[in-house]
Amino acid sequence: MSKQIVIACDLGGTNLRMAAIDSEGKILYRTKRETPKADRADEVVGVIIESAEECRKNAGSSEGLLAIAIAAPATVNADKGIILKAPNVPALDGFRIIAALENELNLHAILENDANAAAVGENWMGASKGFKNSICVTLGTGVGGGIIINGTILRGVDGTAGEIGHICVEPFGAPCGCGSRGCVEQYSSATAIVRQTQELASQYPKSDLSHKTRLTSKDVYEAGIKGDELALEVFRRQGFYLGIAMGGLINVLNPEVIVIGGGAAAGWDLFMPHLHEQIEKRTYREPRLRAKFERAILEDDAGILGAAKLAFDKITVEKKAKFISNN
């Protein structure tokens, strides 16, 4: 019997990562290309197909190839296979990507939001493995989130559930790209770290960061571990606001574990004490003691592994339904 394989794609705004993955979570082959800065959806789909064919050719055996799964940085309708809104890949807005891929590759195709896929990946092979109720928070350019309840990803009726980055933590705070103000994304993401450092620089004239051009979140982190007061204040704010958001989620969802990853999680030791301080102040005792905080461990592989797991699960469900209907 041939090994069961899924091709999984993490479609980022900058890079398109793809891998052939077996049902035990082993990556058999991987490839990486730049995501086209295209005006037309078919140009992006063309690169996805090229990568998929490369993975199919190098996976070892195409006989057990079951599906292609896409994790997209977008709000999606997973059931209909439509990318609703993709801020970093706008050519795909409103695009029926599943129909296009199934037609071109002659494979079953599955679509999921990238943050949901990352949550599933960490739950399958990463930091939340073995837990039925988990939350995954990704601190990158923005703040992404995925919520798993009783072993199932929470999508909501329209497929937009889990937008943790747009929990309001400061009602009259910084404007957000979503149209609201004071979202946690505006205080705890890599972009927010840079913005707040620049905004506070005049208050800390002795900080090396206050005179630095082309500032990055990495610069702020490196200054923070050296004790720079401006950097430490920015990380205090990151932890403070993230703690408010996480405290609300603990009270509402009673998770077993919260996994935090992404590039802006590098400052873990600098922001986590402030996060825990807010958790202590804002949550009920029982759910607070229950909830563990863990660092994500899969890094860039979380999305592709999660997409693959969702594909394997969906195929299993469909096979069972077909078996029942035939008997």
Side-chain angles (χ1 to χ4, degrees), residues 18-278:
M18 193 172 288
I21 300 169
D22 70 18
S23 57
E24 295 179 350
K26 182 179 179 182
I27 295 177
L28 307 173
Y29 182 82
R30 69 168 78 230
T31 183
K32 177 180 173 182
R33 286 175 165 82
E34 286 188 8
T35 303
K37 306 300 181 188
D39 295 325
R40 301 199 325 267
D42 59 354
E43 294 180 51
V44 180
V45 171
V47 175
I48 293 173
I49 291 167
E50 287 176 14
S51 297
E53 293 292 6
E54 182 180 339
C55 286
R56 192 196 315 241
K57 180 180 177 181
N58 292 279
S61 172
S62 61
E63 293 179 13
L65 188 57
L66 302 177
I68 179 168
I70 307 293
T75 52
V76 305
N77 185 317
D79 292 334
K80 294 182 179 179
I82 304 172
I83 292 179
L84 301 175
K85 185 71 175 176
N88 295 320
V89 196
L92 295 177
D93 287 358
F95 186 64
R96 294 181 176 272
I97 192 168
I98 293 309
L101 292 175
E102 289 184 338
N103 183 58
E104 292 289 338
L105 293 169
N106 195 29
L107 282 173
H108 192 35
I110 290 153
L111 174 66
E112 187 54 84
N113 164 267
D114 59 347
N116 283 350
V120 173
E122 288 288 346
N123 194 237
W124 187 28
M125 291 287 166
S128 60
K129 185 176 181 179
F131 293 99
K132 289 286 188 180
N133 298 276
S134 64
I135 296 170
C136 183
V137 185
T138 305
L139 308 179
T141 304
V143 173
I147 299 168
I148 296 175
I149 303 295
N150 294 328
T152 301
I153 195 75
L154 180 66
R155 293 189 178 90
V157 68
D158 295 311
T160 63
E163 288 288 347
I164 290 170
H166 300 290
I167 295 173
C168 179
V169 292
E170 189 65 79
F172 303 102
C176 184
C178 73
S180 183
R181 303 185 73 91
C183 296
V184 68
E185 182 168 290
Q186 296 304 313
Y187 300 95
S188 299
S189 64
T191 307
I193 287 171
V194 172
R195 191 199 79 245
Q196 291 178 103
T197 302
Q198 293 169 334
E199 289 175 351
L200 295 169
S202 62
Q203 299 177 37
Y204 296 86
K206 294 182 180 179
S207 170
D208 291 338
L209 295 171
S210 63
H211 312 294
K212 192 173 181 65
T213 57
R214 299 192 179 187
L215 188 69
T216 67
S217 58
K218 184 180 179 182
D219 294 330
V220 184
Y221 166 68
E222 290 176 347
I225 60 177
K226 294 177 182 176
D228 182 279
E229 290 188 6
L230 170 56
L232 292 177
E233 171 58 17
V234 171
F235 283 111
R236 184 196 69 79
R237 292 183 175 210
Q238 180 187 21
F240 174 84
Y241 287 112
L242 193 59
I244 293 173
M246 295 302 100
L249 289 173
I250 287 172
N251 283 338
V252 172
L253 298 173
N254 191 197
E256 296 169 275
V257 61
I258 297 175
V259 176
I260 300 178
W268 179 279
D269 292 337
L270 302 177
F271 70 76
M272 281 302 288
H274 307 292
L275 181 152
H276 282 300
E277 182 181 357
Q278 295 309 308

